[in-house]
Amino acid sequence: MNKNLNFRKVVSLTAAIAMTVTMLAGCGSNNEQAAQSSGQAQTTTSTAAESTAAESTSQTGALKGEITQWVWGDYEKKGAVDFTKTYPDIKVNYVMVPQNDYVKKLQTTAASNGDMPDVANLEMTARGSLANLDIWEKLDAAPYNLNKDDLVPFAIPISQNKKGDIVCVQIDNCVGGYAYNRELAKKYFGTDDPAELEKVLTNWDVFVQKGKEISEKSGGKNFLFAGSDDAYYALIGLYTKEPWVQDKKLNLDTTVLPTMKYIEQMIKDKALGKYVMWTPAWNSSFASNTVVFYAAPTWFVPFVMKANDKDANGKYGLITPPNGGYSWGGTAYGIPKESKNKELAWTYIKWFTMSREGSEGFFRTQGTPTLYSKVYDTGLYTNDANKDPYFGGQNIMQKYMEIAKNPNTQTRPMTEYDAGIYDSIVVVLRAMDTGLSADQALPKLKADIIKKFPELQQ
């Protein structure tokens, strides 16, 4: 591969992307807050013990040089700690950029023809906007030739721009199940066994009915979910076949309204708590023993549940959602067209996201699987060593692998409007908490979105 690949200058950029702090906190962001608040650019370099240099094999060839990746914490440095064991002559410089400044820095640097990183992060919240800027290499085209079969199918829509080009590769498999309080499950469903519980909760109509029963039997003290935010994310995988915007027209009647109707009914049934996601009160809900279910993607377990309910060994279980599963959050890596070291950047990304060694290292350091499907049947994630005392000895990674391979687990095609639409959904959920119906909420949602993006039509 020629590392002096031709690239085209960026002629224009879309309007400024609204980088928001919403319910969509991406995978691994919790362990990077210190980096966000530092506000200072720092550079650290990945190193490997000198004794490992001899492990380099012929696959490394003559690859030698340096690449730069903009990051906002130590997520990549920790996750790719073994990279230099395979490629001892490639040095990775991790340049710290506060997360809240990250998107703007990418935009302004590209617009001014400044020095772009060789590898850039595309967090899920703003990925639709970033991916559709004409500043990225096409990774499924020559000379990269990414093989889509190396990734689980639901990874493809969240890697593409609106033209269908793959412009980034997500590292973390953020597939989600439902974590549940075993004591409350036994009380209201007669079982705390995951397999038996899945036989009871066969669809969302059953979920809604059971939520009403929980509220009535507990006198309003126990809840199906902590709040409407949590219910929304539990439902997120149901209606994902279509994007939210098609041909400049909002497409919410079939992608959002059905979810809102379920939420409306649960609010009427008093099946949802009053907790607003990411608030201190919501954090305390995990230890309150009043909530039966939480929507729990892979990163949610170590960074949210275990962080907020530390002494809860044996308290939780994990089941497959009745619709098959969903993906929530994630960090992907792209190569800017202005990168000076494209070959080395691709070597790094491919090793990190699509290799056995990269998957093993990432899982060991972060406790999260990758989206590289070739290791799913190797036992890496499903061996008995992954049985979790926190979940009563359940092998939750095995459950997550089942969900990841479920053909009903899908992700929504991204658009450049997604971040703004997410924010509008949050506003509407707060209104629904106070009694607004789904049918009343839909036009309010559309109006709020079009106010932000007047080029769209209802």
Side-chain angles (χ1 to χ4, degrees), residues 148-153 353 370-377:
K148 295 179 182 180
D149 292 337
D150 286 345
L151 301 169
V152 293
T353 64
T370 67
L371 290 162
Y372 181 54
S373 62
K374 303 301 182 184
V375 297
Y376 281 16
D377 295 320

Side-chain angles (χ1 to χ4, degrees), residues 132-146:
N132 284 299
L133 297 178
D134 187 26
I135 63 174
W136 308 107
E137 292 288 300
K138 299 177 183 178
L139 301 180
D140 54 341
Y144 309 101
N145 299 316
L146 179 147

Side-chain angles (χ1 to χ4, degrees), residues 147-159 172-175 327 354 370-374 376 401 403-406 409 411:
N147 184 355
K148 295 179 182 180
D149 292 337
D150 286 345
L151 301 169
V152 293
F154 70 81
I156 304 306
I158 55 177
S159 304
D172 36 3
N173 184 338
C174 295
V175 70
S327 179
M354 292 175 286
T370 67
L371 290 162
Y372 181 54
S373 62
K374 303 301 182 184
Y376 281 16
M401 289 301 100
I403 299 171
K405 292 188 285 187
N406 189 318
T409 299
T411 51

Side-chain angles (χ1 to χ4, degrees), residues 334-394:
I335 302 175
K337 292 180 179 180
E338 299 284 352
S339 165
K340 298 179 177 63
N341 302 287
K342 296 185 176 72
E343 181 179 12
L344 301 186
W346 177 237
T347 300
Y348 170 80
I349 291 175
K350 190 174 182 180
W351 178 92
F352 200 12
T353 64
M354 292 175 286
S355 77
R356 170 77 187 230
E357 295 81 4
S359 296
E360 288 176 345
F362 186 72
F363 185 54
R364 185 180 67 253
T365 57
Q366 303 291 10
T368 306
T370 67
L371 290 162
Y372 181 54
S373 62
K374 303 301 182 184
V375 297
Y376 281 16
D377 295 320
T378 65
L380 173 62
Y381 305 123
T382 58
N383 63 63
D384 287 346
N386 293 323
K387 290 183 177 180
D388 193 337
Y390 195 82
F391 283 81
Q394 183 182 2

